Amino acid sequence: GQQVMQIPQYQHVQEGEDFTTYCNSSTTLSNIQWYKQRPGGHPVFLIQLVKSGEVKKQKRLTFQFGEAKKNSSLHITATQTTDVGTYFCAGPVSSASKIIFGSGTRLSIRP
Amino acid sequence: EADIYQTPRYLVIGTGKKITLECSQTMGHDKMYWYQQDPGMELHLIHYSYGVNSTEKGDLSSESTVSRIRTEHFPLTLESARPSHTSQYLCASRPSGATDTQYFGPGTRLTVL
């Protein structure tokens, strides 16, 4: 079946360092979404990418959608303690009204 | 901020009890979802609904049931709670149309003793 894989599972960085998480789908996606879940919280939508090769920025966060629309990345420049949490990518399941989430990357930061 | 609500937020209950977790949204979204998530782990879809009177089982086998009698309401019921049901349960909704964005409720943390 369709799978969405995410690496790394965990990342521990010094505050101010950069962070990247990668997402790979077993099938071509019509779009990809990214969510952030703070510890003890619920996932919150960050962004949706639709076009092949699309790049979007939100302040220190840069999102990319691969040319083949099967992979994506989220890059955070100069991490801050407010970036702590788990980042999930998600893509729609073909012919179904549901989306499939990646396993998530948990980011922790040393002040 | 999305208008999707879950009650209770926390629940501690004994084995064998029947419980219903409530989820309501005021956005008129057709599609609603229930996920099970252990702390810091991935989300597992257990039920979803396309609209009123439409429900489907998700990817993770679950002993729970759902109903969708009204658009805004999507309750999840466990007939006989067990310790293995201890987890966080997240409800989400999304509108029909081009966007796949899901809006999540705050979750219910369930502990079964």
mmCIF file of all heavy atoms in Angstrom, chain A residues 1 4-5 16 23 36-38 40 46 51 54 60-61 64 66 68 70 78 81 83 86 93 97-98 105 107-108:
data_model
loop_
_atom_site.group_PDB
_atom_site.id
_atom_site.type_symbol
_atom_site.label_atom_id
_atom_site.label_comp_id
_atom_site.label_asym_id
_atom_site.label_seq_id
_atom_site.Cartn_x
_atom_site.Cartn_y
_atom_site.Cartn_z
ATOM 1 N N GLY A 1 0.817 -1.195 0.000
ATOM 2 C CA GLY A 1 0.000 0.000 0.000
ATOM 3 C C GLY A 1 0.857 1.254 0.000
ATOM 4 O O GLY A 1 2.069 1.214 0.191
ATOM 5 N N VAL A 4 4.247 6.726 3.394
ATOM 6 C CA VAL A 4 4.983 7.981 3.495
ATOM 7 C C VAL A 4 5.995 7.822 4.614
ATOM 8 O O VAL A 4 5.625 7.573 5.760
ATOM 9 C CB VAL A 4 4.041 9.163 3.783
ATOM 10 C CG1 VAL A 4 4.848 10.438 4.003
ATOM 11 C CG2 VAL A 4 3.065 9.359 2.635
ATOM 12 N N MET A 5 7.265 7.926 4.266
ATOM 13 C CA MET A 5 8.328 7.714 5.234
ATOM 14 C C MET A 5 9.028 9.026 5.536
ATOM 15 O O MET A 5 9.177 9.879 4.641
ATOM 16 C CB MET A 5 9.318 6.692 4.692
ATOM 17 C CG MET A 5 8.699 5.293 4.594
ATOM 18 S SD MET A 5 9.414 4.318 3.272
ATOM 19 C CE MET A 5 8.700 5.101 1.845
ATOM 20 N N GLY A 16 20.255 27.568 17.471
ATOM 21 C CA GLY A 16 20.990 28.330 16.468
ATOM 22 C C GLY A 16 21.452 27.490 15.284
ATOM 23 O O GLY A 16 21.772 28.034 14.219
ATOM 24 N N CYS A 23 10.909 13.787 3.741
ATOM 25 C CA CYS A 23 9.696 12.999 3.601
ATOM 26 C C CYS A 23 9.707 12.335 2.222
ATOM 27 O O CYS A 23 9.957 13.006 1.215
ATOM 28 C CB CYS A 23 8.505 13.947 3.721
ATOM 29 S SG CYS A 23 6.912 13.170 3.642
ATOM 30 N N LYS A 36 2.906 20.693 12.490
ATOM 31 C CA LYS A 36 3.781 20.731 13.663
ATOM 32 C C LYS A 36 2.949 20.378 14.892
ATOM 33 O O LYS A 36 1.838 20.901 15.059
ATOM 34 C CB LYS A 36 4.396 22.118 13.839
ATOM 35 C CG LYS A 36 5.255 22.242 15.103
ATOM 36 C CD LYS A 36 5.770 23.653 15.284
ATOM 37 C CE LYS A 36 6.590 23.772 16.567
ATOM 38 N NZ LYS A 36 7.096 25.149 16.776
ATOM 39 N N GLN A 37 3.513 19.530 15.728
ATOM 40 C CA GLN A 37 2.837 19.173 16.975
ATOM 41 C C GLN A 37 3.773 19.484 18.137
ATOM 42 O O GLN A 37 4.833 18.863 18.277
ATOM 43 C CB GLN A 37 2.458 17.687 16.978
ATOM 44 C CG GLN A 37 1.655 17.260 18.191
ATOM 45 C CD GLN A 37 1.212 15.802 18.107
ATOM 46 O OE1 GLN A 37 1.789 15.005 17.373
ATOM 47 N NE2 GLN A 37 0.182 15.431 18.860
ATOM 48 N N ARG A 38 3.380 20.429 18.949
ATOM 49 C CA ARG A 38 4.164 20.750 20.141
ATOM 50 C C ARG A 38 3.981 19.644 21.168
ATOM 51 O O ARG A 38 2.943 18.964 21.173
ATOM 52 C CB ARG A 38 3.720 22.085 20.737
ATOM 53 C CG ARG A 38 4.029 23.283 19.865
ATOM 54 C CD ARG A 38 3.591 24.574 20.535
ATOM 55 N NE ARG A 38 3.749 25.719 19.668
ATOM 56 C CZ ARG A 38 4.880 26.389 19.514
ATOM 57 N NH1 ARG A 38 5.947 26.033 20.197
ATOM 58 N NH2 ARG A 38 4.934 27.429 18.713
ATOM 59 N N GLY A 40 2.705 17.567 23.973
ATOM 60 C CA GLY A 40 1.445 17.639 24.692
ATOM 61 C C GLY A 40 0.316 18.271 23.908
ATOM 62 O O GLY A 40 -0.803 18.382 24.418
ATOM 63 N N LEU A 46 0.834 23.614 8.875
ATOM 64 C CA LEU A 46 1.811 24.649 8.561
ATOM 65 C C LEU A 46 1.653 25.149 7.133
ATOM 66 O O LEU A 46 1.570 26.356 6.881
ATOM 67 C CB LEU A 46 3.235 24.116 8.754
ATOM 68 C CG LEU A 46 3.677 23.775 10.179
ATOM 69 C CD1 LEU A 46 5.083 23.170 10.149
ATOM 70 C CD2 LEU A 46 3.634 25.002 11.067
ATOM 71 N N LYS A 51 2.686 22.217 -6.389
ATOM 72 C CA LYS A 51 3.365 22.163 -7.684
ATOM 73 C C LYS A 51 4.702 21.442 -7.610
ATOM 74 O O LYS A 51 5.422 21.529 -6.605
ATOM 75 C CB LYS A 51 3.593 23.581 -8.197
ATOM 76 C CG LYS A 51 2.327 24.383 -8.411
ATOM 77 C CD LYS A 51 2.666 25.798 -8.838
ATOM 78 C CE LYS A 51 1.396 26.636 -8.961
ATOM 79 N NZ LYS A 51 1.717 28.043 -9.278
ATOM 80 N N GLU A 54 8.060 23.025 -6.153
ATOM 81 C CA GLU A 54 7.648 24.230 -5.418
ATOM 82 C C GLU A 54 8.493 24.438 -4.167
ATOM 83 O O GLU A 54 8.853 23.487 -3.482
ATOM 84 C CB GLU A 54 6.173 24.126 -5.053
ATOM 85 C CG GLU A 54 5.574 25.377 -4.445
ATOM 86 C CD GLU A 54 4.061 25.291 -4.318
ATOM 87 O OE1 GLU A 54 3.495 24.192 -4.468
ATOM 88 O OE2 GLU A 54 3.441 26.350 -4.062
ATOM 89 N N ARG A 60 11.737 31.501 9.085
ATOM 90 C CA ARG A 60 12.945 30.671 9.080
ATOM 91 C C ARG A 60 12.698 29.268 8.517
ATOM 92 O O ARG A 60 13.631 28.456 8.450
ATOM 93 C CB ARG A 60 13.484 30.566 10.517
ATOM 94 C CG ARG A 60 13.980 31.881 11.093
ATOM 95 C CD ARG A 60 14.441 31.734 12.554
ATOM 96 N NE ARG A 60 13.317 31.387 13.424
ATOM 97 C CZ ARG A 60 13.089 30.175 13.886
ATOM 98 N NH1 ARG A 60 13.892 29.160 13.589
ATOM 99 N NH2 ARG A 60 12.049 29.935 14.681
ATOM 100 N N LEU A 61 11.464 28.973 8.117
ATOM 101 C CA LEU A 61 11.130 27.641 7.612
ATOM 102 C C LEU A 61 11.062 27.669 6.093
ATOM 103 O O LEU A 61 10.433 28.551 5.500
ATOM 104 C CB LEU A 61 9.772 27.202 8.160
ATOM 105 C CG LEU A 61 9.716 26.577 9.551
ATOM 106 C CD1 LEU A 61 10.203 27.530 10.643
ATOM 107 C CD2 LEU A 61 8.320 26.082 9.864
ATOM 108 N N GLN A 64 10.100 22.396 0.595
ATOM 109 C CA GLN A 64 10.315 22.068 -0.812
ATOM 110 C C GLN A 64 9.504 20.846 -1.188
ATOM 111 O O GLN A 64 9.373 19.902 -0.389
ATOM 112 C CB GLN A 64 11.801 21.787 -1.074
ATOM 113 C CG GLN A 64 12.700 23.002 -0.992
ATOM 114 C CD GLN A 64 14.114 22.680 -1.447
ATOM 115 O OE1 GLN A 64 14.691 21.699 -1.018
ATOM 116 N NE2 GLN A 64 14.654 23.512 -2.313
ATOM 117 N N GLY A 66 9.484 17.939 -4.208
ATOM 118 C CA GLY A 66 10.369 17.446 -5.243
ATOM 119 C C GLY A 66 9.784 17.514 -6.636
ATOM 120 O O GLY A 66 8.568 17.593 -6.824
ATOM 121 N N ALA A 68 9.564 15.226 -8.831
ATOM 122 C CA ALA A 68 8.719 14.065 -9.145
ATOM 123 C C ALA A 68 7.481 14.001 -8.255
ATOM 124 O O ALA A 68 6.664 13.084 -8.381
ATOM 125 C CB ALA A 68 9.522 12.781 -8.996
ATOM 126 N N LYS A 70 7.285 13.203 -5.196
ATOM 127 C CA LYS A 70 7.300 12.030 -4.328
ATOM 128 C C LYS A 70 8.087 12.296 -3.056
ATOM 129 O O LYS A 70 8.113 11.459 -2.156
ATOM 130 C CB LYS A 70 7.906 10.820 -5.054
ATOM 131 C CG LYS A 70 7.074 10.330 -6.218
ATOM 132 C CD LYS A 70 7.700 9.126 -6.905
ATOM 133 C CE LYS A 70 7.640 7.875 -6.074
ATOM 134 N NZ LYS A 70 8.113 6.683 -6.815
ATOM 135 N N ALA A 78 18.609 28.381 11.774
ATOM 136 C CA ALA A 78 18.860 28.978 13.093
ATOM 137 C C ALA A 78 17.736 28.665 14.077
ATOM 138 O O ALA A 78 16.966 29.552 14.483
ATOM 139 C CB ALA A 78 19.057 30.479 12.952
ATOM 140 N N THR A 81 14.178 27.768 20.556
ATOM 141 C CA THR A 81 13.505 26.826 21.462
ATOM 142 C C THR A 81 12.018 26.690 21.131
ATOM 143 O O THR A 81 11.411 25.657 21.410
ATOM 144 C CB THR A 81 13.673 27.254 22.926
ATOM 145 O OG1 THR A 81 13.221 28.599 23.071
ATOM 146 C CG2 THR A 81 15.126 27.151 23.366
ATOM 147 N N ASP A 83 10.877 26.161 18.325
ATOM 148 C CA ASP A 83 10.732 25.205 17.229
ATOM 149 C C ASP A 83 10.577 23.771 17.725
ATOM 150 O O ASP A 83 10.300 22.869 16.917
ATOM 151 C CB ASP A 83 11.946 25.274 16.299
ATOM 152 C CG ASP A 83 12.085 26.623 15.613
ATOM 153 O OD1 ASP A 83 11.041 27.240 15.292
ATOM 154 O OD2 ASP A 83 13.235 27.061 15.405
ATOM 155 N N THR A 86 7.246 17.907 17.126
ATOM 156 C CA THR A 86 7.329 16.869 16.108
ATOM 157 C C THR A 86 6.731 17.398 14.820
ATOM 158 O O THR A 86 5.631 17.950 14.811
ATOM 159 C CB THR A 86 6.584 15.599 16.553
ATOM 160 O OG1 THR A 86 7.146 15.124 17.778
ATOM 161 C CG2 THR A 86 6.707 14.507 15.494
ATOM 162 N N VAL A 93 -4.258 10.105 0.110
ATOM 163 C CA VAL A 93 -4.329 8.747 -0.417
ATOM 164 C C VAL A 93 -5.175 8.789 -1.678
ATOM 165 O O VAL A 93 -6.280 9.341 -1.675
ATOM 166 C CB VAL A 93 -4.963 7.792 0.605
ATOM 167 C CG1 VAL A 93 -5.166 6.403 0.005
ATOM 168 C CG2 VAL A 93 -4.106 7.711 1.853
ATOM 169 N N SER A 97 -10.794 9.856 0.606
ATOM 170 C CA SER A 97 -10.833 11.165 1.247
ATOM 171 C C SER A 97 -10.042 11.191 2.532
ATOM 172 O O SER A 97 -10.502 11.724 3.536
ATOM 173 C CB SER A 97 -12.284 11.553 1.513
ATOM 174 O OG SER A 97 -12.921 11.892 0.324
ATOM 175 N N LYS A 98 -8.870 10.609 2.518
ATOM 176 C CA LYS A 98 -8.058 10.619 3.715
ATOM 177 C C LYS A 98 -6.629 10.930 3.328
ATOM 178 O O LYS A 98 -6.249 10.860 2.157
ATOM 179 C CB LYS A 98 -8.140 9.270 4.442
ATOM 180 C CG LYS A 98 -7.718 8.077 3.601
ATOM 181 C CD LYS A 98 -7.869 6.792 4.385
ATOM 182 C CE LYS A 98 -7.433 5.597 3.541
ATOM 183 N NZ LYS A 98 -7.501 4.315 4.298
ATOM 184 N N THR A 105 9.225 13.625 12.654
ATOM 185 C CA THR A 105 10.583 13.876 13.149
ATOM 186 C C THR A 105 10.461 14.731 14.390
ATOM 187 O O THR A 105 9.891 15.827 14.340
ATOM 188 C CB THR A 105 11.445 14.601 12.108
ATOM 189 O OG1 THR A 105 11.630 13.775 10.971
ATOM 190 C CG2 THR A 105 12.808 14.958 12.710
ATOM 191 N N LEU A 107 11.958 17.079 17.018
ATOM 192 C CA LEU A 107 13.070 18.020 17.166
ATOM 193 C C LEU A 107 13.170 18.470 18.621
ATOM 194 O O LEU A 107 12.193 18.961 19.188
ATOM 195 C CB LEU A 107 12.852 19.233 16.264
ATOM 196 C CG LEU A 107 13.836 20.397 16.439
ATOM 197 C CD1 LEU A 107 15.250 19.974 16.069
ATOM 198 C CD2 LEU A 107 13.400 21.598 15.598
ATOM 199 N N SER A 108 14.362 18.293 19.191
ATOM 200 C CA SER A 108 14.638 18.850 20.519
ATOM 201 C C SER A 108 15.847 19.773 20.402
ATOM 202 O O SER A 108 16.700 19.588 19.521
ATOM 203 C CB SER A 108 14.879 17.741 21.545
ATOM 204 O OG SER A 108 15.964 16.937 21.151
#
